């Protein structure tokens, strides 16, 4: 009997938690809208202009990039990748032309996995098992966080 009662409570709690989260988001949206109504249009337009969303943001040196973004710097080891996330293709940029065919070899995939595994192991060795503690030479532990690195950039 108690198992059934506990399971019923868990189901009701899960449904209520989803509703509460939805209501909280609606309330936050209402606060944001009320705040935006209080801002003079001249000041809002000046803020939008200061964001420079019409200028193209380059991904790395030499890239033209896309408009509508805000550039944010982060430490290079914050999210290590072994593969470029931007697909570059040579040739004309005519939209009617088909995309070039990509050839993936299984050797690249295994090489990328090996590099990722090596990076992960070296980071664990440097930062400790959980990635936040680093042992010093006297055996004491010091705490490292990636946010301190990003603030210095």
């Amino acid at each position: 009997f108690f198992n059934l009662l506990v399971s019923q409570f868990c189901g009701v709690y899960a449904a209520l938690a989803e509703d509460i989260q939805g209501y909280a988001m609606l309330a936050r949206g209402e606060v944001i809208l009320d705040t935006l109504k209080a801002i003079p249009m001249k000041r809002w337009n000046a803020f939008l202009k200061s964001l420079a969303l019409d200028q193209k943001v380059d991904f790395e040196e030499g890239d033209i990039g896309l408009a509508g973004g805000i550039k944010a710097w982060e430490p290079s080891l914050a999210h290590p990748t072994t593969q470029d996330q931007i697909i570059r293709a040579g040739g004309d940029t005519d939209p009617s032309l088909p995309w070039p065919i990509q050839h993936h070899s299984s050797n690249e995939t295994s090489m990328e996995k090996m590099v990722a595994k090596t990076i992960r192991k070296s980071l664990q060795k440097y930062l400790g098992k959980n990635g936040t503690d680093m042992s010093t030479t006297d055996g004491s532990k010091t705490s490292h966080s990636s946010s301190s690195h990003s603030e210095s950039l």
Side-chain angles (χ1 to χ4, degrees), residues 73-142:
W73 296 98
E74 65 180 23
S76 59
L77 287 178
H79 306 284
T81 57
T82 58
Q83 177 179 334
D84 195 1
Q85 299 297 318
I86 302 169
I87 300 170
R88 294 173 173 83
D92 197 9
T93 57
D94 185 7
S96 64
L97 293 176
W99 285 90
I101 299 172
Q102 295 179 354
H103 299 285
H104 296 288
S105 69
S106 60
N107 190 23
E108 282 181 355
T109 311
S110 63
M111 180 63 85
E112 291 169 3
K113 287 180 183 177
M114 184 177 71
V115 170
K117 186 177 178 182
T118 305
I119 290 172
R120 195 174 331 115
K121 281 186 176 182
S122 62
L123 284 174
Q124 284 178 348
K125 186 176 182 180
Y126 177 72
L127 298 175
K129 289 293 181 196
N130 61 3
T132 59
D133 294 333
M134 186 178 88
S135 297
T136 59
T137 54
D138 62 353
S140 63
K141 297 277 188 179
T142 59

Side-chain angles (χ1 to χ4, degrees), residues 12 28-29 41 48 70-71 85 97-98 111 122 137 144-145:
V12 169
R28 287 185 202 123
M41 190 55 78
L48 286 179
I70 298 173
K71 192 173 218 172
Q85 299 297 318
L97 293 176
M111 180 63 85
S122 62
T137 54
H144 266 303
S145 70

Side-chain angles (χ1 to χ4, degrees), residues 6-54:
V6 168
S7 123
Q8 182 68 29
F9 281 145
C10 289
V12 169
Y13 178 79
L16 284 175
E18 286 181 24
D19 288 345
I20 289 170
Q21 187 176 14
Y23 289 133
M25 287 180 170
L26 285 173
R28 287 185 202 123
E30 190 175 326
V31 169
I32 290 170
L33 287 175
D34 289 341
T35 305
L36 284 175
K37 288 178 189 176
I39 297 173
M41 190 55 78
K42 185 177 179 181
R43 185 170 183 185
W44 177 251
N45 288 335
F47 169 71
L48 286 179
K49 189 174 181 179
S50 72
L51 292 177
L53 294 174
D54 56 340

